[in-house]
């Protein structure tokens, strides 16, 4: 077996800890993925369109997943503060409680147990693999806002201000460490 095939098999086996048939804690795989994403996304990416892009589904598919999460009281729709025609999907307190019992924590805990340098190499390597897959599939890459070419910082350390050049909107410091579906890597 080639090393590449072995690595793929190891990734598939690790996915068994958080991908599963049916439901776990009342959620399907896709509902878990959506809930995780909405909990980690910045406010500009917590829209039905951005969710559909992240899940790799149609807006209709994302709407069905969103409807299930709404019915279970795990997310709510809020009118966008910037554009009254659009909505923002927000995780509720009940959704946050459920995320504390997320099956993916077993995988996270094993990664936390790695040495810091191994964690960094794993993160960087997986990021390169995912970027390559996104390019090959012509998908838009989702990543952390602080690494995006559209993020501009101004001011001094104690009084830093951030802005997204793509949306021409201010970004809170907290949001710079969250996921953005409109991400473009720095060259």
């Amino acid at each position: 077996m080639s090393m590449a095939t072995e690595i793929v098999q190891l990734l598939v086996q690790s996915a068994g800890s958080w991908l599963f048939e049916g439901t776990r804690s009342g959620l399907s795989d896709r509902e878990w993925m959506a809930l995780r994403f909405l909990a980690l996304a910045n406010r500009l990416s917590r829209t039905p369109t951005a969710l559909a892009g992240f899940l790799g589904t149609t807006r209709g598919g994302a709407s069905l997943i969103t409807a299930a999460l709404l019915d279970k009281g795990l997310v709510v729709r809020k009118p966008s503060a910037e554009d009254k025609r659009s909505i923002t999907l927000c995780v509720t307190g009940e959704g946050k409680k459920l995320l504390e019992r997320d099956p993916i924590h077993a995988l996270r805990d094993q990664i936390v147990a790695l040495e810091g340098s191994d964690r960094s190499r794993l993160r960087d390597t997986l990021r390169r693999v995912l970027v390559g897959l996104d390019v090959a599939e012509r998908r838009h890459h989702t990543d952390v806002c602080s690494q995006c070419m559209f993020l501009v910082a101004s001011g001094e350390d104690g009084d830093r201000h951030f802005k997204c050049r793509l949306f021409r909107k201010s970004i809170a410091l907290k949001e710079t460490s969250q996921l953005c579906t409109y991400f473009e890597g720095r060259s």
Side-chain angles (χ1 to χ4, degrees):
M1 174 184 311
S2 75
M3 186 178 296
T5 301
E6 183 181 359
I7 292 169
V8 168
Q9 289 305 313
L10 291 169
L11 287 170
V12 168
Q13 288 176 35
S14 72
S17 67
W18 54 276
L19 285 176
F20 36 85
E21 294 294 322
T23 62
R24 188 176 288 176
S25 298
L27 298 183
S28 70
D29 289 341
R30 300 290 259 182
E31 291 165 353
W32 272 113
M33 285 178 65
L35 188 62
R36 286 180 195 121
F37 170 75
L38 293 171
L40 296 173
N42 67 25
R43 77 181 190 289
L44 301 174
S45 295
R46 288 192 315 258
T47 65
T49 300
L51 178 61
F54 177 78
L55 294 174
T57 188
T58 63
R59 284 191 54 161
S63 290
L64 291 173
I65 293 166
T66 301
L69 295 175
L70 287 164
D71 289 346
K72 294 171 183 172
L74 303 174
V75 298
V76 292
R77 294 178 203 219
K78 293 185 178 177
S80 171
E82 290 95 15
D83 180 358
K84 299 299 179 199
R85 297 169 297 166
S86 58
I87 62 161
T88 302
L89 299 168
C90 300
V91 177
T92 64
E94 197 62 36
K96 290 175 184 173
K97 283 182 196 174
L98 184 61
L99 282 166
E100 291 173 7
R101 300 187 323 265
D102 188 340
I104 208 165
H105 291 334
L107 178 60
R108 180 205 58 203
D109 294 345
Q110 291 303 310
I111 293 169
V112 166
L114 297 172
E115 289 185 26
S117 60
D118 288 341
R119 278 195 309 270
S120 293
R121 273 194 308 278
L122 179 60
R123 179 202 58 213
D124 296 344
T125 301
L126 285 174
R127 182 171 276 141
R128 283 194 309 272
V129 168
L130 290 172
V131 167
L133 288 171
D134 288 340
V135 168
E137 296 289 323
R138 292 193 165 131
R139 288 186 301 226
H140 202 81
H141 181 66
T142 297
D143 212 325
V144 179
C145 183
S146 64
Q147 304 299 312
C148 183
M149 66 183 266
F150 295 125
L151 185 69
V152 179
S154 60
E156 299 298 317
D157 279 344
D159 192 30
R160 299 277 284 172
H161 300 281
F162 300 93
K163 186 171 185 168
C164 176
R165 290 183 308 171
L166 178 66
F167 285 98
R168 296 187 176 111
K169 303 227 183 266
S170 293
I171 300 288
L173 173 63
K174 175 186 170 191
E175 291 181 295
T176 64
S177 63
Q178 294 177 321
L179 295 177
C180 181
T181 56
Y182 304 96
F183 178 88
E184 288 290 335
R186 296 186 175 130
S187 299

